[in-house]
Amino acid sequence: MANYYTPKEITLNFAASANQKKNIRLIKFCILAILGGVFIAFGGLLSVMVAGGMPEIGAGNPGLVKFIAGALFPVGLIMVSITGADLFTSDCAAFSYATLQRQIRIKTFFKYLVLSYIFNFVGTQIVAYFLSYEVGLLDKQPWQTYLHHYSEAKVNQDFIKVLIKAIGANWLVCLGMFMGYSAKDISGKCIAIWIPVMIFVTLGYEHSIANMFFIPAAIYSGADIAWSTFIIQNLIPATIGNFIGGAFFVGCAYWYIYLKD
């Protein structure tokens, strides 16, 4: 017996996850969304502490530092998947399947996306403020400089550039979740999720929930970034692009290929 599911079975499993979330109590869904934000922020914090702690290597080989950050960040999504936490960006695909299968209504689709987004933000701030800034992890060098430069680069981009990079990010994140549903064991799930997420971080694409950690953490630790700048120049286009990448390039695409009669 194969130790993985077929692509059609994966699509059904991914779609079923949306119905499972819809059928639990709303307060439990909100807690799962907070945890999803926390886990993504932990992955982001880990990548900052390791990749940001090697400026000499970065000066001579910046690609290696990007790869190290990319290799570490996926632990957040792996924790989300294995624990059943909720993440806005993967919901863009999961709830698309359920909506296209007419198992949930459009109104319900957007209701859960909005709730997930809001409570993911709450979770990321728990780590960004209390577990990073308040305990002094981000007020020392070279980590502070690394995070500030990293975040300033994210807010100093054209709207369209951020949107396009965000499409790529959530295409890969949702592909990671999709591939994770292929595995029948924990090791297979971890590897399947790790590959696409490593790619998106290494390439520098824009993930709205990850940016809810990185940029506010930089703001808390003294970066010259206004909240309005963060929201307008990064968070809004990243969110729109993430929705497109997840809902259309993974949700609609695999629904049409494997589920549409």
Side-chain angles (χ1 to χ4, degrees):
M1 180 182 295
N3 67 340
Y4 58 89
Y5 294 101
T6 66
K8 182 172 183 177
E9 290 172 329
I10 297 169
T11 311
L12 289 168
N13 290 339
F14 204 171
S17 69
N19 284 310
Q20 291 167 0
K21 290 175 181 178
K22 176 180 69 77
N23 291 329
I24 66 173
R25 292 179 60 191
L26 202 58
I27 184 63
K28 291 186 177 182
F29 176 83
C30 295
I31 293 171
L32 287 174
I34 291 173
L35 292 173
V38 166
F39 297 155
I40 291 299
F42 277 144
L45 179 58
L46 176 65
S47 70
V48 169
M49 297 308 293
V50 179
M54 46 181 67
E56 295 83 6
I57 295 174
N61 194 339
L64 179 60
V65 174
K66 288 185 177 183
F67 173 73
I68 291 171
L72 295 172
F73 181 85
V75 299
L77 191 63
I78 290 170
M79 289 191 289
V80 168
S81 177
I82 292 175
T83 64
D86 182 76
L87 190 65
F88 161 79
T89 44
S90 60
D91 283 348
C92 291
F95 279 85
S96 293
Y97 294 132
T99 304
L100 291 166
Q101 289 294 93
R102 299 184 181 179
Q103 296 169 343
I104 64 173
R105 295 180 296 175
I106 290 288
K107 179 180 178 181
T108 304
F109 171 63
F110 284 107
K111 169 187 171 182
Y112 278 90
L113 286 188
V114 169
L115 286 173
S116 178
Y117 190 82
I118 291 170
F119 287 98
N120 279 171
F121 179 81
V122 174
T124 58
Q125 300 319 291
I126 291 172
V127 178
Y129 187 81
F130 293 105
L131 298 178
S132 301
Y133 170 68
E134 276 292 301
V135 297
L137 293 181
L138 303 176
D139 60 2
K140 301 179 180 67
Q141 299 300 343
W143 298 280
Q144 187 181 81
T145 297
Y146 173 87
L147 177 63
H148 287 192
H149 287 170
Y150 187 72
S151 300
E152 288 164 0
K154 284 182 173 294
V155 299
N156 291 317
Q157 302 178 90
D158 294 336
F159 188 99
I160 294 299
K161 180 182 289 187
V162 176
L163 188 146
I164 294 171
K165 290 168 74 174
I167 292 173
N170 207 32
W171 190 348
L172 288 164
V173 167
C174 289
L175 186 60
M177 290 296 288
F178 184 91
M179 291 168 59
Y181 279 106
S182 70
K184 295 183 179 180
D185 56 58
I186 293 295
S187 58
K189 181 182 287 286
C190 293
I191 294 169
I193 293 172
W194 181 85
I195 295 170
V197 180
M198 175 275 295
I199 294 172
F200 114 69
V201 178
T202 303
L203 296 180
Y205 291 160
E206 300 290 341
H207 187 265
S208 59
I209 309 304
N211 290 349
M212 289 177 183
F213 164 74
F214 289 121
I215 301 175
I219 293 171
Y220 296 141
S221 59
D224 187 20
I225 303 172
W227 280 94
S228 58
T229 302
F230 160 50
I231 293 169
I232 295 171
Q233 294 185 203
N234 183 275
L235 192 59
I236 291 175
T239 302
I240 296 170
N242 286 169
F243 176 79
I244 295 170
F248 292 95
F249 288 89
V250 178
C252 292
Y254 291 114
W255 169 80
Y256 181 79
I257 293 168
Y258 295 117
L259 301 183
K260 187 177 186 299
D261 294 331

